[in-house]
Amino acid sequence: MKNKILESPLTETALLIMLAMYKPNHGYGVMQFVEEKTNGRVIFGPGTLYGAINNLEKKKWITLCEVTESERKKEFVITELGKKQVEAELERMKEVYKLGMEITSIGGMSNDQEI
Amino acid sequence: MIKKFRVFLSPIEGQEKWLNEKATEGLKLSGAGRFIYEFKKCKPNQYQYAVDYIGNKSNIQRKEYESFLDDIDINYYEMPLNICQFSIGRVKFRSYANRGGKIATSSGMINRELLILERENNGKPFNIYSNVKDKIMSLKERRKPHIYLLIFMVLMELYNDFIGKPFIDISYFSNRNSLDKNTLSIFLGIIAIISMVRIVRLSLSIKTLNKKTSIQQ
Protein backbone atom coordinates (compact mmCIF):
# COMPACT_ATOMS: atom_id res chain seq x y z
CA MET A 1 0.00 0.00 0.00
CA LYS A 2 1.45 3.31 -1.05
CA ASN A 3 1.86 6.25 1.29
CA LYS A 4 -1.34 8.27 1.30
CA ILE A 5 0.61 11.54 1.25
CA LEU A 6 1.82 10.78 -2.25
CA GLU A 7 -0.11 12.37 -5.09
CA SER A 8 -0.20 10.72 -8.44
CA PRO A 9 -0.02 11.29 -11.31
CA LEU A 10 2.06 14.44 -11.18
CA THR A 11 1.80 16.96 -13.96
CA GLU A 12 4.74 17.02 -16.33
CA THR A 13 5.36 20.63 -15.26
CA ALA A 14 5.65 19.70 -11.57
CA LEU A 15 7.86 16.71 -12.28
CA LEU A 16 10.26 18.61 -14.52
CA ILE A 17 10.57 21.51 -12.07
CA MET A 18 11.34 19.15 -9.19
CA LEU A 19 13.93 17.32 -11.28
CA ALA A 20 15.54 20.67 -12.07
CA MET A 21 15.73 21.37 -8.34
CA TYR A 22 17.66 18.32 -7.17
CA LYS A 23 20.44 20.91 -7.02
CA PRO A 24 19.55 24.45 -5.82
CA ASN A 25 18.19 26.30 -8.80
CA HIS A 26 16.41 29.57 -9.61
CA GLY A 27 13.56 30.22 -12.02
CA TYR A 28 15.78 31.08 -14.95
CA GLY A 29 17.93 28.00 -14.33
CA VAL A 30 14.81 25.80 -14.25
CA MET A 31 13.64 27.20 -17.59
CA GLN A 32 17.03 26.54 -19.20
CA PHE A 33 17.34 23.05 -17.66
CA VAL A 34 13.92 21.97 -18.87
CA GLU A 35 14.31 23.39 -22.35
CA GLU A 36 17.71 21.75 -22.77
CA LYS A 37 16.77 18.35 -21.32
CA THR A 38 13.57 18.10 -23.35
CA ASN A 39 15.30 19.35 -26.52
CA GLY A 40 12.98 22.34 -26.65
CA ARG A 41 9.78 20.25 -26.46
CA VAL A 42 8.85 21.91 -23.16
CA ILE A 43 9.38 25.64 -22.79
CA PHE A 44 7.84 27.08 -19.65
CA GLY A 45 5.97 30.34 -19.87
CA PRO A 46 6.66 32.73 -16.97
CA GLY A 47 3.07 32.52 -15.64
CA THR A 48 3.08 28.74 -15.64
CA LEU A 49 6.49 28.47 -13.99
CA TYR A 50 5.62 31.05 -11.33
CA GLY A 51 2.33 29.33 -10.47
CA ALA A 52 3.91 25.88 -10.37
CA ILE A 53 6.84 26.96 -8.16
CA ASN A 54 4.40 28.63 -5.73
CA ASN A 55 2.24 25.54 -5.67
CA LEU A 56 5.18 23.19 -5.05
CA GLU A 57 6.45 25.45 -2.28
CA LYS A 58 3.01 25.47 -0.61
CA LYS A 59 2.96 21.67 -0.70
CA LYS A 60 6.48 21.70 0.81
CA TRP A 61 7.85 19.66 -2.08
CA ILE A 62 10.44 22.36 -2.72
CA THR A 63 11.85 24.94 -0.36
CA LEU A 64 13.54 28.31 -0.66
CA CYS A 65 17.31 28.18 -0.10
CA GLU A 66 18.89 30.65 2.25
CA VAL A 67 19.44 33.83 0.33
CA THR A 68 22.83 35.47 0.72
CA GLU A 69 23.39 39.11 -0.13
CA SER A 70 25.47 38.22 -3.17
CA GLU A 71 22.65 36.14 -4.67
CA ARG A 72 20.13 38.27 -6.44
CA LYS A 73 17.90 35.45 -7.59
CA LYS A 74 15.78 33.24 -5.33
CA GLU A 75 16.94 29.63 -5.38
CA PHE A 76 14.84 26.59 -4.51
CA VAL A 77 15.74 23.00 -3.77
CA ILE A 78 13.65 19.85 -3.64
CA THR A 79 12.70 18.54 -0.16
CA GLU A 80 12.67 14.92 1.04
CA LEU A 81 8.89 14.89 0.61
CA GLY A 82 9.33 16.19 -2.94
CA LYS A 83 11.86 13.45 -3.69
CA LYS A 84 9.35 10.83 -2.51
CA GLN A 85 6.76 12.29 -4.89
CA VAL A 86 9.21 12.15 -7.79
CA GLU A 87 10.22 8.58 -7.00
CA ALA A 88 6.58 7.46 -6.74
CA GLU A 89 5.83 9.15 -10.06
CA LEU A 90 8.78 7.46 -11.75
CA GLU A 91 7.56 4.09 -10.45
CA ARG A 92 4.13 4.80 -11.92
CA MET A 93 5.64 5.84 -15.23
CA LYS A 94 7.82 2.72 -15.25
CA GLU A 95 4.71 0.59 -14.84
CA VAL A 96 2.93 2.35 -17.72
CA TYR A 97 6.07 2.23 -19.87
CA LYS A 98 6.48 -1.51 -19.24
CA LEU A 99 2.86 -2.14 -20.18
CA GLY A 100 3.20 -0.03 -23.31
CA MET A 101 6.34 -1.84 -24.38
CA GLU A 102 4.69 -5.22 -23.84
CA ILE A 103 1.65 -4.34 -25.93
CA THR A 104 2.84 -2.09 -28.75
CA SER A 105 4.98 -2.95 -31.75
CA ILE A 106 7.85 -0.87 -30.31
CA GLY A 107 8.14 -3.41 -27.51
CA GLY A 108 8.22 -6.34 -29.90
CA MET A 109 4.61 -7.58 -29.80
CA SER A 110 2.89 -7.37 -33.19
CA ASN A 111 -0.68 -6.14 -33.55
CA ASP A 112 -2.19 -9.56 -34.26
CA GLN A 113 -0.69 -11.19 -31.18
CA GLU A 114 -3.03 -12.00 -28.33
CA ILE A 115 -2.71 -9.64 -25.38
CA MET B 1 11.46 59.03 -27.92
CA ILE B 2 8.37 58.24 -29.98
CA LYS B 3 4.95 58.65 -28.37
CA LYS B 4 1.86 56.87 -29.61
CA PHE B 5 -1.75 57.15 -28.53
CA ARG B 6 -3.76 53.96 -28.58
CA VAL B 7 -7.01 52.60 -27.13
CA PHE B 8 -7.68 48.86 -27.23
CA LEU B 9 -11.04 47.16 -27.27
CA SER B 10 -9.15 43.95 -26.64
CA PRO B 11 -6.58 45.02 -24.05
CA ILE B 12 -4.75 41.70 -23.92
CA GLU B 13 -4.66 40.09 -27.37
CA GLY B 14 -5.01 43.42 -29.22
CA GLN B 15 -2.32 45.14 -27.23
CA GLU B 16 0.01 42.15 -27.47
CA LYS B 17 -0.37 42.02 -31.26
CA TRP B 18 0.17 45.77 -31.66
CA LEU B 19 3.29 45.82 -29.45
CA ASN B 20 4.80 42.91 -31.37
CA GLU B 21 4.06 44.72 -34.64
CA LYS B 22 5.88 47.78 -33.28
CA ALA B 23 8.81 45.55 -32.28
CA THR B 24 8.90 44.19 -35.84
CA GLU B 25 9.17 47.79 -37.05
CA GLY B 26 12.13 48.34 -34.71
CA LEU B 27 10.43 50.00 -31.74
CA LYS B 28 11.02 49.05 -28.13
CA LEU B 29 8.55 50.05 -25.45
CA SER B 30 10.06 52.40 -22.89
CA GLY B 31 6.98 53.51 -20.99
CA ALA B 32 3.24 52.85 -20.90
CA GLY B 33 0.52 55.08 -19.52
CA ARG B 34 -3.25 54.80 -19.65
CA PHE B 35 -3.42 55.56 -23.39
CA ILE B 36 0.04 56.83 -24.29
CA TYR B 37 2.88 54.50 -25.17
CA GLU B 38 6.49 55.60 -25.38
CA PHE B 39 8.92 53.83 -27.67
CA LYS B 40 12.63 53.91 -28.37
CA LYS B 41 14.23 52.78 -31.60
CA CYS B 42 15.85 49.35 -31.63
CA LYS B 43 16.72 46.68 -34.18
CA PRO B 44 13.65 45.21 -35.93
CA ASN B 45 12.41 42.09 -34.12
CA GLN B 46 14.79 42.63 -31.21
CA TYR B 47 12.07 42.26 -28.58
CA GLN B 48 8.93 40.20 -27.96
CA TYR B 49 5.87 41.18 -25.96
CA ALA B 50 3.13 39.37 -24.09
CA VAL B 51 0.37 40.86 -21.93
CA ASP B 52 -0.64 39.26 -18.65
CA TYR B 53 -3.76 39.93 -16.57
CA ILE B 54 -2.89 40.44 -12.89
CA GLY B 55 -6.05 42.22 -11.64
CA ASN B 56 -6.91 39.15 -9.56
CA LYS B 57 -3.68 39.38 -7.58
CA SER B 58 -3.21 41.21 -4.29
CA ASN B 59 -0.48 43.82 -3.98
CA ILE B 60 1.89 41.33 -2.30
CA GLN B 61 1.21 38.68 -4.95
CA ARG B 62 1.83 41.23 -7.70
CA LYS B 63 5.15 42.28 -6.17
CA GLU B 64 6.19 38.63 -5.79
CA TYR B 65 5.30 37.95 -9.42
CA GLU B 66 7.26 40.99 -10.57
CA SER B 67 10.24 39.90 -8.49
CA PHE B 68 10.03 36.48 -10.16
CA LEU B 69 9.98 38.17 -13.58
CA ASP B 70 13.14 40.04 -12.59
CA ASP B 71 14.71 36.68 -11.69
CA ILE B 72 14.01 35.26 -15.13
CA ASP B 73 15.21 38.39 -16.95
CA ILE B 74 11.82 39.54 -18.18
CA ASN B 75 11.15 43.25 -18.20
CA TYR B 76 7.62 44.49 -17.43
CA TYR B 77 5.38 47.56 -17.57
CA GLU B 78 2.25 48.00 -15.46
CA MET B 79 -0.97 49.08 -17.14
CA PRO B 80 -4.53 49.80 -15.97
CA LEU B 81 -7.55 47.83 -17.13
CA ASN B 82 -10.47 50.15 -16.62
CA ILE B 83 -13.24 47.71 -16.04
CA CYS B 84 -15.68 47.08 -13.22
CA GLN B 85 -13.87 48.83 -10.45
CA PHE B 86 -15.14 51.61 -8.28
CA SER B 87 -13.01 54.28 -6.68
CA ILE B 88 -13.66 56.47 -3.68
CA GLY B 89 -10.61 58.65 -3.29
CA ARG B 90 -7.63 56.33 -3.15
CA VAL B 91 -9.71 53.28 -2.30
CA LYS B 92 -10.65 51.10 -5.24
CA PHE B 93 -12.98 48.13 -5.16
CA ARG B 94 -12.34 45.38 -7.68
CA SER B 95 -15.47 43.30 -7.60
CA TYR B 96 -13.90 40.56 -9.71
CA ALA B 97 -10.61 40.05 -7.91
CA ASN B 98 -9.80 37.06 -5.73
CA ARG B 99 -9.45 37.30 -1.98
CA GLY B 100 -6.79 39.86 -1.08
CA GLY B 101 -7.09 41.73 -4.34
CA LYS B 102 -10.64 43.03 -4.00
CA ILE B 103 -9.91 46.24 -2.19
CA ALA B 104 -6.99 48.25 -3.45
CA THR B 105 -6.06 50.79 -0.82
CA SER B 106 -2.35 51.32 -1.29
CA SER B 107 -1.04 53.37 -4.16
CA GLY B 108 0.77 50.24 -5.34
CA MET B 109 -2.49 48.57 -6.19
CA ILE B 110 -4.24 51.36 -8.04
CA ASN B 111 -4.40 51.05 -11.81
CA ARG B 112 -2.24 47.97 -12.17
CA GLU B 113 -4.29 45.20 -13.67
CA LEU B 114 -2.18 44.40 -16.71
CA LEU B 115 1.48 43.63 -17.07
CA ILE B 116 3.21 44.02 -20.40
CA LEU B 117 6.07 41.53 -20.43
CA GLU B 118 9.09 42.19 -22.61
CA ARG B 119 12.02 39.98 -23.43
CA GLU B 120 14.78 39.78 -26.01
CA ASN B 121 13.51 37.91 -29.05
CA ASN B 122 14.97 34.40 -29.02
CA GLY B 123 12.97 33.22 -32.03
CA LYS B 124 10.63 31.10 -29.91
CA PRO B 125 6.98 31.88 -29.17
CA PHE B 126 6.48 34.02 -26.08
CA ASN B 127 3.60 32.39 -24.20
CA ILE B 128 2.91 33.38 -20.62
CA TYR B 129 1.09 30.12 -19.92
CA SER B 130 2.59 27.01 -21.42
CA ASN B 131 0.08 24.36 -20.41
CA VAL B 132 -3.63 24.05 -21.10
CA LYS B 133 -4.69 24.04 -17.44
CA ASP B 134 -2.97 27.37 -16.79
CA LYS B 135 -4.38 28.85 -19.99
CA ILE B 136 -7.91 27.92 -18.88
CA MET B 137 -7.31 29.37 -15.42
CA SER B 138 -6.04 32.60 -16.96
CA LEU B 139 -9.07 32.91 -19.29
CA LYS B 140 -11.45 32.30 -16.37
CA GLU B 141 -9.76 35.04 -14.35
CA ARG B 142 -10.05 37.37 -17.34
CA ARG B 143 -13.74 36.55 -17.75
CA LYS B 144 -14.61 37.53 -14.16
CA PRO B 145 -14.45 41.34 -14.57
CA HIS B 146 -16.72 41.15 -17.62
CA ILE B 147 -19.28 39.07 -15.70
CA TYR B 148 -19.26 41.57 -12.84
CA LEU B 149 -19.48 44.46 -15.28
CA LEU B 150 -22.49 42.88 -16.99
CA ILE B 151 -24.25 42.32 -13.64
CA PHE B 152 -23.47 45.89 -12.63
CA MET B 153 -24.86 47.26 -15.90
CA VAL B 154 -28.06 45.22 -15.50
CA LEU B 155 -28.50 46.47 -11.93
CA MET B 156 -27.93 50.05 -13.06
CA GLU B 157 -30.48 49.65 -15.83
CA LEU B 158 -33.01 48.26 -13.34
CA TYR B 159 -32.32 51.16 -11.01
CA ASN B 160 -32.69 53.56 -13.92
CA ASP B 161 -36.01 51.98 -14.91
CA PHE B 162 -37.65 51.53 -11.53
CA ILE B 163 -36.24 54.29 -9.35
CA GLY B 164 -36.37 56.75 -12.19
CA LYS B 165 -33.64 59.04 -11.02
CA PRO B 166 -30.52 58.59 -13.16
CA PHE B 167 -27.69 56.78 -11.45
CA ILE B 168 -24.92 58.75 -13.12
CA ASP B 169 -24.46 62.48 -12.98
CA ILE B 170 -22.40 63.57 -15.95
CA SER B 171 -22.61 67.32 -15.36
CA TYR B 172 -18.82 67.22 -15.40
CA PHE B 173 -18.90 66.30 -19.10
CA SER B 174 -22.09 67.99 -20.21
CA ASN B 175 -24.00 71.19 -19.64
CA ARG B 176 -27.03 69.14 -18.71
CA ASN B 177 -27.34 68.20 -15.07
CA SER B 178 -27.72 64.52 -15.69
CA LEU B 179 -28.27 61.97 -18.40
CA ASP B 180 -31.83 61.46 -19.50
CA LYS B 181 -33.26 58.00 -19.02
CA ASN B 182 -33.07 56.85 -22.63
CA THR B 183 -29.50 58.03 -23.23
CA LEU B 184 -28.39 56.25 -20.09
CA SER B 185 -30.18 53.06 -21.17
CA ILE B 186 -28.41 53.14 -24.55
CA PHE B 187 -25.07 53.74 -22.85
CA LEU B 188 -25.62 50.87 -20.39
CA GLY B 189 -26.83 48.64 -23.22
CA ILE B 190 -23.68 49.23 -25.30
CA ILE B 191 -21.39 48.41 -22.37
CA ALA B 192 -23.48 45.33 -21.55
CA ILE B 193 -23.28 44.10 -25.16
CA ILE B 194 -19.50 44.59 -25.27
CA SER B 195 -19.22 42.64 -22.00
CA MET B 196 -21.46 39.88 -23.31
CA VAL B 197 -19.40 39.55 -26.49
CA ARG B 198 -16.21 39.30 -24.41
CA ILE B 199 -17.81 36.72 -22.07
CA VAL B 200 -18.95 34.59 -25.03
CA ARG B 201 -15.54 34.79 -26.74
CA LEU B 202 -13.66 33.91 -23.55
CA SER B 203 -16.13 31.11 -22.76
CA LEU B 204 -15.68 29.62 -26.23
CA SER B 205 -11.92 29.68 -25.82
CA ILE B 206 -12.27 27.97 -22.43
CA LYS B 207 -14.59 25.35 -23.94
CA THR B 208 -12.14 24.58 -26.74
CA LEU B 209 -9.26 24.24 -24.29
CA ASN B 210 -11.38 22.07 -21.96
CA LYS B 211 -12.03 19.65 -24.83
CA LYS B 212 -8.31 19.52 -25.52
CA THR B 213 -7.56 18.92 -21.86
CA SER B 214 -10.02 16.05 -21.51
CA ILE B 215 -8.23 14.21 -24.33
CA GLN B 216 -4.78 14.98 -22.98
CA GLN B 217 -5.74 13.91 -19.48
Side-chain angles (χ1 to χ4, degrees):
Chain A
M1 181 104 176
K2 284 187 178 173
N3 189 340
K4 279 185 182 172
I5 300 167
L6 302 181
E7 287 179 30
S8 185
L10 292 182
T11 61
E12 188 181 32
T13 304
L15 181 61
L16 289 171
I17 291 172
M18 286 199 283
L19 288 172
M21 289 179 176
Y22 266 70
K23 286 179 187 167
N25 211 343
H26 47 70
Y28 192 69
V30 171
M31 281 174 120
Q32 285 180 318
F33 174 91
V34 170
E35 191 176 340
E36 186 196 322
K37 298 292 178 190
T38 63
N39 296 316
R41 179 180 62 82
V42 179
I43 300 174
F44 286 143
T48 288
L49 184 58
Y50 173 75
I53 287 178
N54 264 351
N55 198 20
L56 293 173
E57 199 188 1
K58 271 184 205 155
K59 286 174 183 280
K60 300 193 186 329
W61 294 359
I62 60 168
T63 187
L64 189 63
C65 297
E66 278 185 35
V67 184
T68 60
E69 279 183 23
S70 60
E71 288 162 350
R72 196 176 61 88
K73 293 176 178 177
K74 273 186 185 176
E75 282 194 333
F76 294 87
V77 69
I78 190 166
T79 61
E80 284 308 311
L81 184 60
K83 284 179 183 171
K84 280 183 188 167
Q85 299 291 340
V86 170
E87 284 157 19
E89 180 62 11
L90 294 179
E91 278 300 319
R92 187 192 69 81
M93 288 169 83
K94 208 160 89 182
E95 214 173 271
V96 177
Y97 174 78
K98 203 176 144 198
L99 179 66
M101 292 303 277
E102 275 171 24
I103 293 174
T104 63
S105 53
I106 308 171
M109 187 183 275
S110 67
N111 287 339
D112 43 290
Q113 273 181 287
E114 288 284 322
I115 296 167
Chain B
M1 182 81 69
I2 300 156
K3 284 189 179 182
K4 288 189 184 288
F5 173 86
R6 190 83 185 194
V7 180
F8 292 97
L9 279 179
S10 169
I12 299 209
E13 285 85 2
Q15 192 166 209
E16 202 170 281
K17 190 170 171 257
W18 184 71
L19 288 168
N20 281 310
E21 279 168 10
K22 295 292 135 203
T24 312
E25 294 166 16
L27 293 176
K28 179 200 179 297
L29 193 66
S30 60
R34 194 173 290 267
F35 304 115
I36 304 286
Y37 296 78
E38 290 173 358
F39 292 95
K40 283 193 292 195
K41 285 196 172 172
C42 66
K43 290 178 197 161
N45 286 314
Q46 195 180 344
Y47 292 94
Q48 284 175 297
Y49 293 91
V51 181
D52 202 359
Y53 170 70
I54 55 158
N56 55 329
K57 287 184 168 60
S58 69
N59 198 33
I60 294 167
Q61 287 167 338
R62 177 182 61 79
K63 281 184 179 166
E64 279 177 2
Y65 185 42
E66 289 177 350
S67 155
F68 175 79
L69 293 173
D70 285 332
D71 279 0
I72 57 171
D73 295 339
I74 288 180
N75 194 19
Y76 53 83
Y77 304 86
E78 293 162 344
M79 285 281 291
L81 174 74
N82 301 309
I83 187 169
C84 208
Q85 49 202 14
F86 320 103
S87 300
I88 304 166
R90 297 294 288 166
V91 179
K92 179 153 80 174
F93 179 69
R94 289 181 184 132
S95 49
Y96 51 84
N98 293 333
R99 196 173 56 174
K102 275 194 185 294
I103 297 174
T105 49
S106 72
S107 58
M109 290 169 71
I110 306 283
N111 290 333
R112 291 173 183 185
E113 284 84 29
L114 297 181
L115 269 191
I116 298 172
L117 311 190
E118 175 192 80
R119 75 169 187 196
E120 291 256 2
N121 190 350
N122 57 13
K124 293 162 194 161
F126 188 13
N127 297 318
I128 294 171
Y129 299 99
S130 47
N131 65 43
V132 180
K133 200 178 129 211
D134 290 342
K135 281 178 189 166
I136 293 172
M137 181 272 300
S138 158
L139 290 171
K140 282 184 178 171
E141 291 297 339
R142 283 173 51 192
R143 191 174 56 179
K144 277 186 196 171
H146 294 288
I147 294 172
Y148 280 98
L149 183 62
L150 182 62
I151 294 168
F152 185 64
M153 290 298 119
V154 170
L155 289 176
M156 274 180 73
E157 178 57 36
L158 290 173
Y159 182 91
N160 188 32
D161 278 352
F162 292 107
I163 307 293
K165 194 182 170 192
F167 198 77
I168 295 176
D169 183 349
I170 57 150
S171 51
Y172 179 74
F173 302 104
S174 151
N175 57 3
R176 281 187 289 171
N177 284 334
S178 59
L179 281 168
D180 63 63
K181 242 176 151 181
N182 290 340
T183 317
L184 184 58
S185 288
I186 293 167
F187 173 72
L188 296 175
I190 291 169
I191 296 177
I193 288 168
I194 293 171
S195 286
M196 269 192 275
V197 170
R198 296 294 300 157
I199 291 167
V200 170
R201 286 178 70 177
L202 288 165
S203 299
L204 286 173
S205 302
I206 292 168
K207 198 178 164 190
T208 311
L209 286 171
N210 269 329
K211 273 186 193 167
K212 205 172 166 184
T213 253
S214 63
I215 296 166
Q216 287 181 343
Q217 201 63 41

